[in-house]
């Protein structure tokens, strides 16, 4: 079961929802961020954040503090706070000389990380004395553009994917604002910028998206070589990779400790499961059942008849059988947590935002939880 919303003909490059799920921020492939409020079954535009000078590349909405952080190709990031009925921007001192590509709040929302084309991760935190957001850089051993980020539940570790085909885990510990972190499956010493792990799936694909599991012991990422990979720190950093007939994915998120949803060029979100005991990763099902199959109206005999008569399958329509009509650019947890996800949201090049109900969409999904 899916709830579909259209925002025009422009691509939805990134989106984020508020903690109470009644507000939505998205970018339509330009320099503005549109704010919408849920009104019945529709989203009504309420505000426009137009501080960026070039295309917005990342948005994240802090669920507890209700702050929005955005980043863009203009090499800037802004933290937006809602005051007196308006969104007020605060400039972040990123100190980068290439476009920012992605941004994520930490779980405690006291800092955030920005990836960029300058081969570094900028970890930003608020400095009370000067009342601005300052940054520290993670540089080595990153050799190319950082394309995606995610935070460990401990608020310290950062998973990053980049165009040098590697997935890495770094320490984002800021001693000025937080206490010393406890040891975890990824290691014990976590001084800032320490590389905790580095993985390559042996292919030649850029890493498009990366996600920590609910426990933080695993990371999953998707590459442009049509691969889905999982690294398990709790099992001697075991690496499992699956490549199938699907097209490359652009987004991935865990929806339980053993299950994840990935989406991309196939225009159809897909559910994968990781079996720690067997060390295997497998495709369970597609969330979007094509209308043709769901209706059961086209029999095998009719297909052969059409092929015999017209040398075609009988379907000359350019419309896809899936809900999304073009590439899915992002998949995120919409309702619930990574440990117990109830709904996910996907946005795409077709200008659509679709909210998928994982509890009722397919029996196989429930079984995987």
């Amino acid at each position: 079961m899916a709830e579909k919303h259209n925002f025009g003909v422009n691509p939805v490059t990134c989106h984020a929802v508020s903690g109470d799920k009644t507000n939505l921020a998205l970018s339509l492939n330009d320099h503005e961020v549109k704010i919408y409020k849920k009104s019945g079954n529709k989203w009504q535009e309420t505000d426009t954040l137009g501080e960026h000078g070039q295309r917005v590349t990342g948005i994240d909405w802090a669920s507890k503090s209700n702050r929005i952080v955005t980043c863009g190709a203009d090499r800037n990031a802004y933290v937006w706070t809602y005051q007196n009925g308006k969104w007020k921007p605060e400039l972040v001192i990123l100190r980068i000389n290439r476009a920012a590509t992605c941004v994520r709040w930490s779980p405690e929302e006291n800092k955030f990380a920005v990836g960029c084309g300058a081969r570094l991760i900028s970890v930003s935190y608020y400095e009370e004395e000067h009342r601005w957001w300052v940054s520290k850089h993670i540089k080595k051993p990153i050799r190319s553009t950082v394309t995606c980020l995610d935070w460990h539940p401990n608020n310290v570790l950062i998973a990053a994917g980049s165009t040098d085909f590697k997935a890495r885990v770094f320490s984002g510990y800021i001693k000025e604002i937080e206490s010393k972190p406890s040891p975890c499956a990824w290691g014990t010493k976590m001084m800032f910028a320490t590389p905790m792990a580095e993985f390559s799936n042996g292919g030649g694909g850029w890493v498009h998206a990366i996600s920590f599991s609910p426990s933080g012991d695993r990371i999953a990422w998707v590459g442009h070589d049509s691969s889905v990979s999982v690294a398990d720190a709790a099992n001697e950093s075991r690496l499992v990779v699956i490549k199938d007939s699907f097209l490359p994915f652009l987004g991935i998120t865990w929806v339980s400790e053993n299950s994840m949803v990935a989406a991309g060029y196939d225009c159809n979100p897909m559910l994968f499961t990781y079996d720690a005991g067997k060390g295997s990763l497998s495709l369970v099902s597609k969330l979007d059942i094509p209308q043709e199959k769901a209706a059961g109206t086209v029999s095998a005999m009719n297909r052969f008849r059409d092929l015999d008569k017209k040398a075609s399958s009988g379907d000359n329509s350019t419309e896809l059988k899936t809900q999304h009509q073009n590439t899915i650019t992002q998949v995120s947890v919409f309702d619930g947590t990574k440990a117990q996800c109830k709904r996910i949201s996907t946005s795409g090049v077709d200008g659509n935002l679709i909210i998928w109900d994982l509890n009722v969409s397919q029996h196989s999904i429930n079984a995987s939880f």
Side-chain angles (χ1 to χ4, degrees), residues 261-280:
V261 172
Y265 290 100
D266 272 314
C267 312
N268 196 335
M270 301 184 194
L271 180 77
F272 293 85
T273 58
Y274 170 69
D275 189 323
K278 297 179 180 178
S280 63

Side-chain angles (χ1 to χ4, degrees), residues 229-354:
S229 307
V230 172
D232 191 345
N235 283 285
E236 300 177 343
S237 295
R238 174 199 288 153
L239 176 62
V240 183
V241 183
I242 181 174
K243 293 184 183 181
D244 211 324
S245 58
F246 41 71
L247 295 174
F249 297 111
L250 294 179
I252 190 169
T253 182
W254 293 83
V255 292
S256 76
E257 183 58 36
N258 300 305
S259 305
M260 65 215 80
V261 172
Y265 290 100
D266 272 314
C267 312
N268 196 335
M270 301 184 194
L271 180 77
F272 293 85
T273 58
Y274 170 69
D275 189 323
K278 297 179 180 178
S280 63
L281 182 62
S282 56
L283 171 63
V284 176
S285 64
K286 297 180 179 181
L287 301 197
D288 194 355
I289 304 173
Q291 297 165 10
E292 184 179 75
K293 292 182 181 178
T297 56
V298 180
S299 67
M301 181 60 74
N302 287 336
R303 281 187 174 277
F304 282 117
R305 188 179 294 121
D306 286 332
L307 283 167
D308 187 46
K309 286 181 180 179
K310 305 174 184 177
S312 73
S313 64
D315 185 5
N316 297 319
S317 172
T318 57
E319 185 174 338
L320 299 177
K321 301 299 182 183
T322 52
Q323 297 271 7
H324 274 290
Q325 292 296 296
N326 210 324
T327 302
I328 298 172
T329 54
Q330 181 182 332
V331 55
S332 302
V333 173
F334 184 87
D335 192 8
T337 63
K338 285 183 182 179
Q340 291 182 319
C341 180
K342 298 175 182 176
R343 292 186 291 171
I344 61 167
S345 59
T346 58
S347 57
V349 178
D350 55 359
N352 288 329
L353 175 81
I354 301 180

